[in-house]
Amino acid sequence: MVESRAPRDLGDFLNCTICLDEPASPIHSCANGHIICGICVEKVKKCGLCQADLKMSDLAERLSRQFDFKLTCGNENEGCKEIVAAAEMKTHLKNCYYREIICTEFKNEVCGKAEVAMSDYAKHLQDRHKCIGGTRNFTLMLTDGNIVHEAGALFPIGILEKDGKVFLQLSHIGEDASVYFWMTVLGSKETAEEYMFDFEHTKAGRRRS
């Protein structure tokens, strides 16, 4: 746990009664003053100590911001080294590069919605689903109305690495055999807005964008 600027006795008073850490927002409490952080409160319906109802604690929220409580990320064991304000922890966890995501890929080996750390997702796609890594080009062949990918119709098609970030080339075939392509980055919305991609395709010797 990261030391805050709050007096130690105040920090102890505000510790979550479940995780025993300084509380992430939105902080809840019961009528008896027992504190439950905004992460742990999603796992319970009543106070674990006295079974009283829980509600938002405006006082605890104000104190958390006033004394600038800080926490290590809950994904620290997976590699995240960020120190985050307790008031912003839930937002950080939703966008953390080391958070777990659900893999729904089925090519080569079905995952069954397995949870994979986002930081390991590119390696997971290459090792388990044989997706292509380190490529900037891919080929589709249209034969008798059937679309066939030269590497076995892998979707995601390819994995690119640039500026220390991982991008996925994704594709979807519609019911009318129309094909859609797009790029996505393993990261936050803010990270995605930093990049732009142009697609070019070649048909019958002619290149189009």
Side-chain angles (χ1 to χ4, degrees):
M1 179 178 69
V2 178
E3 288 294 330
S4 72
R5 295 181 301 180
R8 187 64 263 159
D9 55 348
L10 177 58
D12 289 341
F13 173 74
L14 287 176
N15 279 356
C16 173
T17 56
I18 295 179
C19 66
L20 305 180
D21 211 339
E22 289 177 353
S25 297
I27 305 171
H28 286 63
S29 68
C30 67
N32 295 314
H34 301 136
I35 296 293
I36 297 181
C37 75
I39 297 173
C40 292
V41 76
E42 296 180 351
K43 306 172 186 177
V44 298
K45 294 183 178 180
K46 293 182 178 293
C47 175
L49 297 179
C50 64
Q51 294 301 303
D53 292 333
L54 299 168
K55 64 178 182 179
M56 279 276 296
S57 174
D58 293 333
L59 174 60
E61 283 289 329
R62 287 198 297 270
L63 290 173
S64 174
R65 286 168 169 76
Q66 179 180 348
F67 291 103
D68 194 20
F69 289 163
K70 294 185 182 296
L71 301 166
T72 52
C73 175
N75 298 318
E76 182 181 14
N77 291 337
E78 283 69 44
C80 185
K81 304 302 181 184
E82 289 198 43
I83 306 301
V84 185
E88 303 299 328
M89 180 55 74
K90 287 196 71 174
T91 299
H92 169 78
L93 289 174
K94 289 180 180 179
N95 296 295
C96 179
Y97 180 64
Y98 296 89
R99 71 185 186 274
E100 288 190 337
I101 57 178
I102 296 176
C103 180
T104 58
E105 185 60 47
F106 57 85
K107 183 62 182 177
N108 191 59
E109 185 175 351
V110 177
C111 263
K113 296 185 177 180
E115 292 186 347
V116 182
M118 179 179 284
S119 56
D120 295 330
Y121 188 53
K123 185 176 186 301
H124 170 84
L125 287 175
Q126 293 180 70
D127 293 348
R128 188 162 184 173
H129 301 294
K130 307 306 179 186
C131 291
I132 305 169
T135 179
R136 300 180 64 88
N137 302 292
F138 56 90
T139 301
L140 289 171
M141 294 180 293
L142 185 61
T143 305
D144 297 329
N146 296 317
I147 296 176
V148 181
H149 186 271
E150 65 173 0
L154 302 180
F155 301 96
I157 293 171
I159 301 167
L160 303 177
E161 295 188 26
K162 180 179 177 60
D163 300 335
K165 298 178 177 60
V166 177
F167 299 85
L168 302 180
Q169 302 173 2
L170 300 172
S171 177
H172 172 73
I173 301 176
E175 293 182 358
D176 59 352
S178 57
V179 185
Y180 304 88
F181 302 103
W182 67 98
M183 297 291 293
T184 187
V185 61
L186 297 184
S188 65
K189 178 181 178 182
E190 290 72 22
T191 299
E193 291 175 347
E194 297 176 6
Y195 294 88
M196 180 178 295
F197 285 86
D198 290 324
F199 285 91
E200 293 183 347
H201 73 275
T202 300
K203 182 178 181 181
R206 292 175 295 174
R207 176 172 293 181
R208 302 177 182 179
S209 297

